[in-house]
Amino acid sequence: MARIDMAIPQERPKSKRTYPKMRILGYQLLLLAAILGAWEAGIRFGFLEPYVYGVPSGVANAFVTQIADGSLFRHFWVTGQEVVIGFLIGSSAGSLCGLLLWLSPTWAKILHPYIIALNGVPKIALAPLIIVWFGLGMESKIAIAAIITFIVAFLQAHKGTQQIDGDLIRLMQSLGARPLQMFRMVVVPGSLPWVVSALRLNVGFALIGAVVGEYISAEEGLGHQVYYAGQMYDLNSVWVGIFSLMAMALLLEVVVTWIEKKLKW
């Protein structure tokens, strides 16, 4: 009997895979340090005015002070709730409606001009109306974020259904598949890249919606903090709010990346 040797694939050492990531992270931290160092040096040597640009050391002190008194966590928590809830409602509802529109080409044609018109309107212009409808509390900020993200998710999901291979649809029809079967087995999986793309876009749009709502009327939240600090010419606190919003965006991007990996079955 002939002997068959089977080669067992060897797993690559983790160190070789993680080293490039650590090196990139090191470069990113060096770039951040260089920017902050140049900023601080510009203030120290008089090239930049502290009352116009703020001071990195002052921003760090403001961070420590606001963390110590709990105000930064309170503002971060309020804005985080508005962003996450608005993001989830708008993205899920918009994606579902955009996908379901594939089942009715007639309704897609009827709604097309309305979709184009609504997409062309600056979403921020709707903020005053939404605050009147939903009040001055957290609900209005969630509604603004949800409406903005709904439109983006809806358009992206519907566009994804239009990119499905027509030959594949006709093949399913020839095999006797019903519309719901084609929708579940072909349309939804084929549109997932567009849905995930909408999620990435909606991270920024949800933040915009919540912060704009807080600018107009709020007593808490990072948007309120940035607006109030700007009115007081406290640029260090303004930067604290901006950097906190950046951190929130990075956290949401990590979550979206995790979702994308889970959807790749």
Side-chain angles (χ1 to χ4, degrees):
M1 181 180 294
R3 180 181 176 183
I4 300 176
D5 294 327
M6 298 182 63
I8 301 176
Q10 300 294 325
E11 185 178 355
R12 295 177 60 186
K14 292 184 178 180
S15 59
K16 291 185 178 180
R17 296 199 300 267
T18 58
Y19 175 72
K21 294 181 179 180
M22 297 300 296
R23 184 174 60 182
I24 294 298
L25 177 60
Y27 289 152
Q28 291 170 340
L29 294 176
L30 284 175
L31 177 60
L32 177 60
I35 293 173
L36 294 176
W39 182 5
E40 184 76 25
I43 297 295
R44 298 294 182 183
F45 290 102
F47 296 109
L48 301 174
E49 297 294 341
Y51 62 86
V52 176
Y53 298 98
V55 185
S57 56
V59 175
N61 291 333
F63 258 114
V64 173
T65 300
Q66 294 182 29
I67 289 174
D69 63 20
S71 60
L72 181 59
F73 291 116
R74 185 176 68 254
H75 292 310
F76 193 93
W77 173 248
V78 170
T79 301
Q81 290 182 84
E82 296 165 354
V83 171
V84 171
I85 297 174
F87 174 86
L88 291 176
I89 294 174
S91 297
S92 57
S95 298
L96 180 61
C97 292
L99 293 173
L100 289 175
L101 203 59
W102 178 85
L103 294 171
S104 179
T106 301
W107 271 107
K109 293 178 181 178
I110 293 172
L111 295 176
H112 179 74
Y114 297 98
I115 295 171
I116 298 300
L118 187 59
N119 184 51
V121 174
K123 313 307 178 294
I124 296 176
L126 302 174
L129 290 175
I130 295 172
I131 289 177
V132 171
W133 295 338
F134 290 91
L136 302 177
M138 185 182 294
E139 293 80 5
S140 59
K141 287 73 175 178
I142 293 174
I144 296 171
I147 290 174
I148 295 176
T149 53
F150 174 89
I151 296 171
V152 175
F154 180 89
L155 291 173
Q156 285 288 103
H158 182 55
K159 184 67 175 179
T161 63
Q162 295 176 324
Q163 304 303 313
I164 300 298
D165 189 355
D167 292 335
L168 186 57
I169 296 296
R170 286 187 288 271
L171 175 61
M172 293 288 291
Q173 289 174 335
S174 67
L175 294 175
R178 295 188 296 272
L180 285 177
Q181 291 176 316
M182 292 186 288
F183 177 78
R184 179 174 57 86
M185 300 174 65
V186 177
V187 176
V188 172
S191 301
L192 283 181
W194 294 82
V195 172
V196 173
S197 176
L199 294 180
R200 293 190 181 280
L201 291 172
N202 278 340
V203 168
F205 284 117
L207 281 165
I208 291 173
V211 170
V212 166
E214 291 174 351
Y215 268 33
I216 295 175
S217 177
E219 295 182 355
E220 290 182 313
L222 294 175
H224 168 73
Q225 176 188 355
V226 171
Y227 179 77
Y228 180 78
Q231 293 291 100
M232 298 292 103
Y233 293 96
D234 182 5
L235 295 187
N236 293 331
S237 294
V238 170
W239 281 112
V240 169
I242 292 173
F243 289 143
S244 299
L245 289 169
M246 290 180 180
M248 188 179 297
L250 290 174
L251 289 174
L252 288 173
E253 177 66 22
V254 170
V255 174
V256 170
T257 301
W258 179 81
I259 293 174
E260 182 179 12
K261 291 180 180 179
K262 291 297 182 180
L263 290 176
K264 288 181 179 180
W265 53 76

